[in-house]
């Protein structure tokens, strides 16, 4: 049996349906494999050292304090981005009493090397007697985002 230049004489033992399905699936999978390959190459070509950047968290009494602190952090290059999460409820012990307050949460993305300066900025500009500033190292993430973060907040 001949199909144009293709001779199937050597494929006597392979059913034509199997050959057709294999070729069809290969053609359908090619775009998906290309996308996966390009993404893997992109991620592999941009290396990231775990812990270079950190996510820090600060609670504030209201949105105005949160906005002022966030803007100052970004302007002073202490953070690349600050998300303001409104309306959180905090329950904590303070001076021997259980307190319950509505607060606003700042989620701050920065370099780990800037966390001390960030904490000092918060202590100097926050209305609380003891302001929360905690940070966690970023282990992994989207390489282009982490590159941008590092570009915005330089060493």
């Amino acid at each position: 049996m001949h199909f144009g230049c293709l001779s199937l004489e050597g494929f006597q033992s392979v059913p034509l349906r199997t050959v057709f399905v294999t070729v069809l699936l290969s053609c359908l999978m090619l775009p998906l494999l290309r996308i996966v390959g390009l993404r893997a190459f992109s991620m592999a070509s941009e290396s990231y050292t775990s812990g270079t950047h950190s996510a820090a968290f600060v609670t504030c009494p209201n949105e105005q304090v949160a906005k002022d602190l966030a803007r100052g952090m970004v302007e002073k290059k202490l953070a690349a981005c600050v998300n303001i999460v409104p309306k959180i409820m905090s329950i904590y012990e303070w001076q021997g009493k259980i307190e319950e307050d509505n607060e606003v949460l700042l989620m701050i993305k920065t370099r780990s090397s800037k966390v001390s300066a960030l904490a000092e900025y918060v202590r100097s500009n926050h209305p609380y007697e003891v302001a929360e500033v905690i940070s966690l190292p970023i282990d992994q993430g989207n390489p282009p985002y982490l590159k941008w973060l590092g570009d915005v907040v330089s060493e």
Side-chain angles (χ1 to χ4, degrees), residues 105-121:
L105 177 66
L106 299 181
M107 294 175 27
I108 305 153
K109 277 68 79 186
T110 189
R111 281 188 179 270
S112 297
S113 62
K114 297 289 185 176
V115 171
S116 291
L118 178 85
E120 179 56 39
Y121 176 81

Side-chain angles (χ1 to χ4, degrees), residues 6 9 15 22 31 45 49 55 58 68 70 72 77 79 83-84 89 100-101 105 110-111 130 138 142 147-148 153-154:
L6 179 63
E9 292 171 8
T22 302
S45 65
T49 303
V58 173
D68 292 345
K77 302 290 186 188
N83 303 112
I84 299 174
M89 173 66 67
E100 186 174 304
D101 287 315
L105 177 66
T110 189
R111 281 188 179 270
V130 178
I138 296 172
N142 181 19
K147 181 183 180 324
W148 167 79
V153 180
S154 59

Side-chain angles (χ1 to χ4, degrees), residues 120-131:
E120 179 56 39
Y121 176 81
V122 171
R123 281 192 301 272
S124 298
N125 294 281
H126 201 289
Y128 288 170
E129 182 180 339
V130 178

Side-chain angles (χ1 to χ4, degrees), residues 23 27 54 64 80 84 99 108 115:
V23 170
C27 291
S54 288
Q64 190 58 54
I84 299 174
E99 301 286 340
I108 305 153
V115 171

Side-chain angles (χ1 to χ4, degrees), residues 12 14 33-34 52 62 71 100 121 135 143 150 155:
Q12 298 293 338
V14 178
L33 291 173
R34 183 177 179 274
T52 301
N62 58 56
R71 183 168 299 281
E100 186 174 304
Y121 176 81
S135 72
E155 281 292 338

Side-chain angles (χ1 to χ4, degrees), residues 39-80:
R39 286 191 181 159
F41 175 77
S42 172
M43 290 176 71
S45 65
E46 297 184 38
S47 63
Y48 174 72
T49 303
S50 177
T52 301
H53 302 104
S54 288
F57 303 92
V58 173
T59 52
C60 300
N62 58 56
E63 284 193 32
Q64 190 58 54
V65 169
K67 285 179 187 178
D68 292 345
L69 285 171
R71 183 168 299 281
M73 290 174 200
V74 173
E75 286 174 351
K76 294 183 179 309
K77 302 290 186 188
L78 295 171

